[in-house]
Amino acid sequence: MPRARGVNAALAAVFESTYGTPPGTGFRRMPFASVNIGEEQGLIASELLGFGREPLAPVYDVITNMGDLVVPVDTRNIGVWLRGLMGAPTTVAANAATGTITLTANLLVNDTVTVDGTVYTAVASGATGQQFNLGGTAALTATALAAIINPSANVAAAAVGAVVNLTAKALGPGGNARTLATNAPTRATLSGATLSGGANSHTWFSGAQALPSMSIEVQLPDVPFFGMNYGARINSFQVQAQRSGLLTASLNIMAQGETIAATAQSGTLSEFVLERFGQFQGEVRRNNVALGNVISAELTYSNNLEAVEVIRSDGRIADADPGIIALTGNITTRFEDRVLLDQATNRLPCELQFRWAAGAGTSLVWTAHRVFLPRGDRQIQGPGGVQAPFAFQAAIDPVLNRAATCVLTNDVASY
């Protein structure tokens, strides 16, 4: 009999329309580093006397399902977990897709450039329709090419020297579908087969009154074992920023129960293309100015879920209700200036941002709007640099009426 191995494990997740009821479809394959969720039922030792020294049979206790899930902080999948943590986001088109046509040499008669399905043809003179006149230099030809492309419905064009800069006229990831082609690749270099960089921004606000529940299936096909954890709510989200290493988030999950089967209950899975943020792409800002001496930083957002523990015949919880959120963390710096120390001494709040960016159209930004720092010690542990740790707490901003905002910018249409 084959033994279960992590290399063959998989994780599938979907949002529930009814708490504790797994949907039949809509599951998505989710990347993960580790998982330890599943039902547990403890034993209570018998307290009865009068039967001698040998123990009596124990009594089964209630069923619990609470554990941790470690996932990559990537450009797309992380939005699914953020929705579970903070509720549905506000999604708007944010960035327009762009591209370039670079004329490395002047075009020749009958060379073509295709933009968004429209073919533009070079002619010596007398251009009509979707033709453009060749200039005496590549730069002049680029100007003529941009002029014929620019009136198109979906793509704007402007020439800078011998380069035609293209921009989708509509914001959002839809512009990434605008195609580029040429029959003269030795003279016209394209930035890609399509425009790229079009993106939506998905914004989550702290303190949502209602949080969604999920069904999360842990798959071990070697056994086979398929554990469907239903009524799962995300209790907390923790991410650590450092100079190098893998960027992951630790999620604490509280679920109602688990159904075990020998075949997958999640059906056909969809999945996002996996592209991870790297630690080297991160930055910590204070009042929108980069903190340059941060050695490491940690951010934890907790919903402080309270299990609704009622008397039930199945021994499970009825639900998990959100409490007062907690937004806490730690910042460890090389002690070079007194910016954070003076803030802590003067008992003044600031805004802190944890940012990761993989280009203009892809980023994740956590903002704690009103952060208080405690006075801490300076750690002198040898002849090297001196470190100053600060364990911060965030509070509601009286103007914004929230403690935190999280913005994920990517090419996903919606969460």
Side-chain angles (χ1 to χ4, degrees):
M1 178 179 292
R3 291 177 291 272
R5 293 183 296 164
V7 68
N8 293 327
L11 193 76
V14 70
F15 289 99
E16 299 172 342
S17 56
T18 302
Y19 177 78
T21 303
T25 60
F27 282 81
R28 186 178 297 278
R29 183 187 303 275
M30 303 297 293
F32 70 103
S34 65
V35 60
N36 68 342
I37 58 176
E39 279 193 341
E40 298 180 12
Q41 187 171 24
L43 298 174
I44 304 174
S46 176
E47 86 288 18
L48 298 179
L49 303 175
F51 297 91
R53 294 185 59 221
E54 298 296 337
L56 297 178
V59 175
Y60 283 94
D61 201 359
V62 295
I63 293 174
T64 61
N65 191 344
M66 188 168 184
D68 297 310
L69 173 62
V70 178
V71 300
V73 178
D74 72 329
T75 61
R76 299 180 180 91
N77 292 286
I78 197 67
V80 175
W81 303 118
L82 289 172
R83 178 183 167 187
L85 179 75
M86 304 177 77
T90 298
T91 298
V92 297
N95 293 14
T98 60
T100 57
I101 304 168
T102 302
L103 302 187
T104 55
N106 204 357
L107 297 180
L108 304 178
V109 172
N110 292 326
D111 282 350
T112 63
V113 174
T114 304
V115 178
D116 194 27
T118 300
V119 180
Y120 302 96
T121 304
V123 296
S125 62
T128 60
Q130 303 304 325
Q131 299 175 338
F132 60 98
N133 292 326
L134 291 170
T137 64
L140 292 174
T141 298
T143 299
L145 176 58
I148 193 66
I149 296 172
N150 193 56
S152 67
N154 298 315
V155 180
V160 178
V163 178
V164 178
N165 295 307
L166 306 172
T167 305
K169 291 184 177 180
L171 298 176
N176 298 334
R178 307 304 173 194
T179 57
L180 302 177
T182 180
N183 71 347
T186 59
R187 293 179 289 278
T189 301
L190 308 178
S191 57
T194 66
L195 301 186
S196 62
N200 287 332
S201 67
H202 314 276
T203 303
W204 288 268
F205 302 118
S206 60
Q209 291 295 315
L211 299 177
S213 64
M214 305 179 71
S215 290
I216 303 173
E217 185 178 58
V218 178
Q219 302 180 349
L220 295 169
D222 298 312
V223 175
F225 171 92
F226 297 86
M228 180 66 73
N229 299 274
Y230 53 85
R233 298 193 190 275
I234 300 179
N235 184 38
S236 65
F237 175 103
Q238 184 180 81
V239 63
Q240 185 173 39
Q242 54 193 27
R243 184 173 180 270
S244 65
L246 297 173
L247 183 61
T248 59
S250 297
L251 309 176
N252 181 253
I253 308 291
M254 182 181 294
Q256 184 182 44
E258 179 186 30
T259 300
I260 296 174
T263 58
Q265 306 165 69
S266 51
T268 302
L269 306 181
S270 62
E271 60 184 300
F272 289 123
V273 175
L274 177 62
E275 295 179 4
R276 300 181 69 167
F277 289 108
Q279 289 282 12
F280 78 98
Q281 296 169 315
E283 181 182 48
V284 180
R285 293 187 180 185
R286 174 186 176 274
N287 294 335
N288 208 30
V289 177
L291 282 173
N293 298 302
V294 177
I295 296 173
S296 64
E298 182 181 273
L299 175 74
T300 301
Y301 181 100
S302 176
N303 283 313
N304 283 316
L305 294 180
E306 179 187 13
V308 182
E309 299 176 330
V310 297
I311 299 174
R312 291 167 54 113
S313 60
D314 60 5
R316 297 182 174 93
I317 62 173
D319 205 334
D321 292 339
I324 296 176
I325 70 161
L327 185 60
T328 59
N330 296 280
I331 296 178
T332 301
T333 66
R334 276 294 185 97
F335 192 47
E336 182 181 85
D337 56 50
R338 291 173 45 180
V339 172
L340 296 180
L341 178 60
D342 287 346
Q343 178 186 326
T345 301
N346 296 326
R347 305 183 184 91
L348 297 174
C350 72
E351 182 181 86
L352 282 182
Q353 281 188 342
F354 290 68
R355 305 169 60 93
W356 294 272
T362 310
S363 62
L364 174 64
V365 181
W366 272 95
T367 304
H369 297 291
R370 191 164 177 248
V371 171
F372 293 87
L373 302 177
R375 290 188 62 176
D377 58 359
R378 268 62 61 199
Q379 300 176 355
I380 305 174
Q381 299 176 337
V386 177
Q387 297 184 2
F390 297 89
F392 66 82
Q393 295 183 32
I396 185 172
D397 183 288
V399 177
L400 299 175
N401 200 34
R402 61 181 181 271
T405 302
C406 182
V407 181
L408 177 63
T409 303
N410 60 21
D411 58 3
V412 175
S414 67
Y415 288 100

